[in-house]
Amino acid sequence: MTENTAAPRYEPFGWHHWPDHFWMSYQLRRGLGETQEGGGAVSEVLQAASRMKPGDAESWHEEWTRIAVRNDERGDGAAAAGHVRSAMNCWLRAANYFREAEFWLKPDDLRRLASFGRCEAASRKWLARLNPPGEVVDIPYLPGKPMPGYFIRSPHGGARQPVLISVGGLDSFKDELWFMTGRGAVQRGMSVLLVDGPGQGGTLRRHGIPTRHDYEVPIGKCIDWLLARGDVDGTRIAVSGSSLGGYYSARAASRDHRLAACISHGAIWDIHERWKARDDSHGLAMHIKWVFGASSMAEAAEIARPFRLEGVLDAMRCPYLILHGGHDVLGVNEVKTVYDYARAHGVNATLRLTSAEETGAEHCQHDNPTLGQELMLDWLADVFKIDQRKLNVDCGAD
């Protein structure tokens, strides 16, 4: 065990709980931020952190699991008593806590898939009580290996709704995307398809499918699936991708012109250039190697050679938003490259950098995901010409 020696402090990118353990602090900051979107309770997250051994993956798993189980069981009890809203709140917190619990486990650790399954189970109980109920779906991909997802319709959007396809990045998956993009879309009269693409969530964990550079293929499968429904406005389908997903979404929208809008929730220009000098000591090396199907960081960097937007972004024809934290712990250098290249090639691109003063300046606004959702989904509502003043909005919980 490595003891923490530096005191917690507030940084421009948010609360830094264990300064001697940078990446674990980053993940805690992520969970702490998502409490404001229903993904936890501040006191529970800080209680769990207070019991962890700094830098210790086992205690991380144990303490997140403890509060996850507590909420899951409390949700079941509330449901049995007819207290549906309390049950939904508990299950939503439990899902995100189980997601955190599996984060530092090795890919072949049996507890990882078990924790992931408990995350999905809690999400499914919550989805079933939404109004209208959310759908657990499988998007056809490879034979016998569909992409799992959640399709959630807005109670405010009418019979045929615009849709946001939302994907995560290196380590985010469908069950977290509600806190990053989904809730904001549904509030504004849009349906949302939260999906695990190649290298993500259930597609990676259950089917063993790594990522791919031509993400227009899985996104295209999502579009095909949506267009076969009768409750979707096929002229208003957008895609967003968070973190590494910022590359996925831009690649997909550049190649599939059925998409009417695109959001890069974090700018990515060239993955090979970003990773070529990194070795296996990098804090996220385990995730990178797993997602890319590599045995080393050097191999992952080679696999990542075609993961670049030069010669790709030129073809984008839809409005494009780049939202990036102004003090992103993963860097801000690529933002201007992506934006300038897009504008120079005739793309209708908008760049929004969040500042330390307004908060949300962390990677993907993990320190303030509410701000991130407001910026992204207000932009998308304007692109889709949704007059939010005319929506039949309730208290805004769904």
Side-chain angles (χ1 to χ4, degrees), residues 63-266:
E63 297 305 333
W64 281 110
T65 300
R66 185 198 305 269
I67 59 174
V69 170
R70 183 168 73 207
N71 277 272
D72 198 32
E73 292 178 347
R74 182 170 170 243
D76 291 348
H83 303 153
V84 178
R85 278 293 174 181
S86 292
M88 292 174 69
N89 294 343
C90 289
W91 290 325
L92 196 58
R93 291 193 291 269
N96 205 32
Y97 293 160
F98 280 125
R99 179 195 65 78
E100 287 276 18
E102 67 134 48
F103 191 87
W104 295 111
L105 298 177
K106 293 180 179 179
D108 60 356
D109 189 323
L110 296 179
R111 295 174 298 171
R112 182 180 266 278
L113 185 57
S115 296
F116 179 73
R118 298 181 82 172
C119 169
E120 288 186 314
S123 290
R124 291 181 179 203
K125 289 184 285 189
W126 170 77
L127 283 163
R129 273 77 172 183
L130 287 174
N131 181 25
E135 302 174 34
V136 178
V137 303
D138 282 328
I139 308 299
Y141 182 56
L142 298 179
K145 296 181 178 181
M147 297 181 292
Y150 303 140
F151 184 72
I152 305 172
R153 283 177 50 78
S154 173
H156 321 302
R160 295 182 71 247
Q161 300 182 3
V163 181
L164 174 65
I165 302 168
S166 180
V167 296
L170 179 72
D171 53 40
S172 48
F173 50 81
K174 64 186 183 306
D175 300 80
E176 184 184 15
L177 292 173
W178 177 254
F179 315 116
M180 299 169 73
T181 56
R183 182 169 178 259
V186 170
Q187 286 179 323
R188 291 161 178 80
M190 296 173 245
S191 297
V192 64
L193 176 61
L194 312 174
V195 65
D196 287 340
Q200 299 176 332
T203 305
L204 175 65
R205 286 159 177 77
R206 292 204 172 90
H207 302 321
I209 299 174
T211 190
R212 57 189 296 167
H213 79 279
D214 52 346
Y215 233 74
E216 67 272 17
V217 176
I219 297 300
K221 301 284 188 182
C222 294
I223 298 171
D224 293 342
W225 184 86
L226 288 169
L227 291 176
R229 298 180 63 102
D231 55 0
V232 167
D233 180 351
T235 68
R236 292 189 293 173
I237 298 175
V239 64
S240 70
S242 299
S243 191
L244 178 57
Y247 163 79
Y248 296 153
S249 61
R251 167 80 194 205
S254 297
R255 291 289 189 252
D256 196 322
H257 296 149
R258 294 177 295 177
L259 290 163
C262 176
I263 300 171
S264 282
H265 188 202

Side-chain angles (χ1 to χ4, degrees), residues 34 159 164 184 237 307 339:
E34 286 165 352
L164 174 65
I237 298 175
F307 287 70
Y339 175 69

Side-chain angles (χ1 to χ4, degrees), residues 265-321:
H265 188 202
I268 301 287
W269 176 246
D270 188 318
I271 297 297
H272 172 74
E273 284 296 315
R274 172 177 284 200
W275 289 346
K276 67 180 183 181
R278 296 179 181 176
D279 60 26
D280 287 7
S281 67
H282 186 271
L284 296 178
M286 178 183 72
H287 294 83
I288 292 169
K289 291 185 288 185
W290 186 28
V291 168
F292 279 74
S295 60
S296 67
M297 280 297 293
E299 183 183 358
E302 285 304 306
I303 294 171
R305 280 190 180 276
F307 287 70
R308 61 202 306 261
L309 291 180
E310 186 174 11
V312 174
L313 200 54
D314 322 44
M316 188 180 291
R317 296 293 175 262
C318 63
Y320 178 38
L321 173 66

